[in-house]
Amino acid sequence: MTWWRKLPAHAFRDSERAQIGETLRHVDVLRGGDELRAALNGDVAAAIATALSLMPIGNIDFQTDITMTSLLRCALNGEAAAALVLAQIVGLRTSAMP
């Protein structure tokens, strides 16, 4: 669940992509509502919306990690909009670090 913030894009091969998908299939959320559930099921628009709803990201918790991992899965599946949003969020986090 932390790969979105720790690994570069070229580190994700088929086995990592499969592991992300399998992990997200087994995540159940108590908070986050229908949009987060849709994001976890691979809905690109929902993944982008839920990721943007976290902005600005202060502290990273489990909710942040599952939200961003759902966005990562969309990006790895070739969804350009998801990749752009993910790159922007990671870039903002990186530039904010001392």
Side-chain angles (χ1 to χ4, degrees):
M1 298 302 247
T2 63
W3 288 351
W4 71 271
R5 57 188 158 100
K6 293 185 176 182
L7 297 177
H10 67 272
F12 295 97
R13 307 238 190 285
D14 290 340
S15 62
E16 287 82 16
R17 292 173 190 210
Q19 189 173 358
I20 289 169
E22 186 64 21
T23 300
L24 291 177
R25 272 191 285 284
H26 294 288
V27 170
D28 194 14
V29 293
L30 298 175
R31 295 177 292 151
D34 293 338
E35 195 160 47
L36 181 55
R37 281 180 187 39
L40 292 172
N41 289 325
D43 182 303
V44 179
I48 291 170
T50 56
L52 292 176
S53 75
L54 299 174
M55 299 305 292
I57 296 175
N59 294 323
I60 296 176
D61 57 13
F62 182 69
Q63 183 96 5
T64 303
D65 277 337
I66 63 171
T67 299
M68 295 305 296
T69 299
S70 69
L71 183 64
L72 171 63
R73 177 180 53 188
C74 293
L76 292 173
N77 286 339
E79 297 291 344
L84 288 171
V85 172
L86 181 62
Q88 180 68 26
I89 292 172
V90 169
L92 288 171
R93 286 208 37 82
T94 303
S95 67
M97 297 172 82

